[in-house]
């Protein structure tokens, strides 16, 4: 019985170590995936609360450009943090008003711009 527990414990330990190494090696990719998923959820919420004066197609285009810049590493991380903070603050009352949507869209527009280096 002891031998079985030692073998089982060793296998579990090896799996945990391998998982940790995998996550560490792919942390940038995993972070980008998480941010892209968050932006997709934000896009859905913004489209739901979108003022009539703003075209849904233009909003989708803005978010797509931002996602491309994030995936290629051209996005400004400070702008991304500001957008996420504005979104979180805006959703504190469970709904976005038009000013909060405009602030978020301005940040996404800035995030989607090409970075000149």
């Amino acid at each position: 019985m002891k031998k079985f527990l030692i073998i089982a414990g060793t296998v579990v330990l090896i799996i945990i170590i391998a998982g940790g190494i995998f996550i560490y090696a792919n942390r940038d990719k995993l972070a980008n995936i998480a941010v892209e998923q968050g932006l997709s959820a934000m896009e859905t919420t913004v489209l739901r609360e979108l003022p009539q004066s703003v075209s849904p197609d233009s909003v989708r285009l803005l978010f797509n450009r931002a996602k491309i810049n994030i995936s290629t590493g051209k996005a400004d991380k400070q702008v991304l943090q500001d957008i996420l903070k504005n979104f979180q603050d805006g959703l504190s009352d469970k709904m976005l008003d038009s000013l909060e949507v405009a602030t978020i869209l301005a940040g996404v527009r800035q995030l989607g711009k090409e970075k000149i280096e």
Side-chain angles (χ1 to χ4, degrees), residues 64-75 111-114:
N64 285 338
R65 284 184 189 158
K67 288 175 191 174
I68 290 170
N69 280 352
I70 289 170
S71 66
T72 59
K74 295 180 182 178
L111 192 64
K113 286 184 180 176
E114 285 293 323

Side-chain angles (χ1 to χ4, degrees), residues 42 82-93 96 104:
M42 186 186 304
D82 292 343
I83 293 168
L84 295 175
K85 174 133 178 51
N86 289 334
F87 183 68
Q88 184 179 15
D89 291 345
L91 278 182
S92 63
D93 60 352
L96 296 173
I104 291 169

Side-chain angles (χ1 to χ4, degrees), residues 7 9 15 18 30 32 35 42 48 50 52 54 59 64 69 72 77 79 93 98 102 108 110 113 117:
I7 292 172
I15 290 173
L30 293 172
N32 283 343
V35 168
M42 186 186 304
R48 191 173 51 235
L50 196 63
Q52 291 182 355
V54 181
V59 172
N64 285 338
N69 280 352
T72 59
K77 292 183 187 340
V79 173
D93 60 352
S98 60
V108 173
Q110 188 177 0
K113 286 184 180 176
E117 296 179 21

Side-chain angles (χ1 to χ4, degrees), residues 12-116:
V12 169
L13 185 63
I14 290 172
I15 290 173
I16 290 172
I17 291 172
I21 291 170
F22 175 77
I23 289 171
Y24 182 77
N26 294 307
R27 66 185 181 276
D28 292 335
K29 291 178 186 176
L30 293 172
N32 283 343
I33 290 170
V35 168
E36 288 176 16
Q37 293 297 319
L39 276 179
S40 295
M42 186 186 304
E43 178 182 5
T44 303
T45 305
V46 167
L47 285 171
R48 191 173 51 235
E49 305 293 335
L50 196 63
Q52 291 182 355
S53 61
V54 181
S55 163
D57 290 334
S58 66
V59 172
R60 286 186 189 97
L61 183 64
L62 284 175
F63 274 95
N64 285 338
R65 284 184 189 158
K67 288 175 191 174
I68 290 170
N69 280 352
I70 289 170
S71 66
T72 59
K74 295 180 182 178
D76 186 356
K77 292 183 187 340
Q78 183 60 44
V79 173
L80 181 60
Q81 287 179 344
D82 292 343
I83 293 168
L84 295 175
K85 174 133 178 51
N86 289 334
F87 183 68
Q88 184 179 15
D89 291 345
L91 278 182
S92 63
D93 60 352
K94 306 285 190 241
M95 131 179 231
L96 296 173
D97 63 23
S98 60
L99 182 60
E100 293 165 340
V101 169
T103 304
I104 291 169
L105 289 178
V108 173
R109 188 173 292 113
Q110 188 177 0
L111 192 64
K113 286 184 180 176
E114 285 293 323
K115 197 180 206 182
I116 300 172

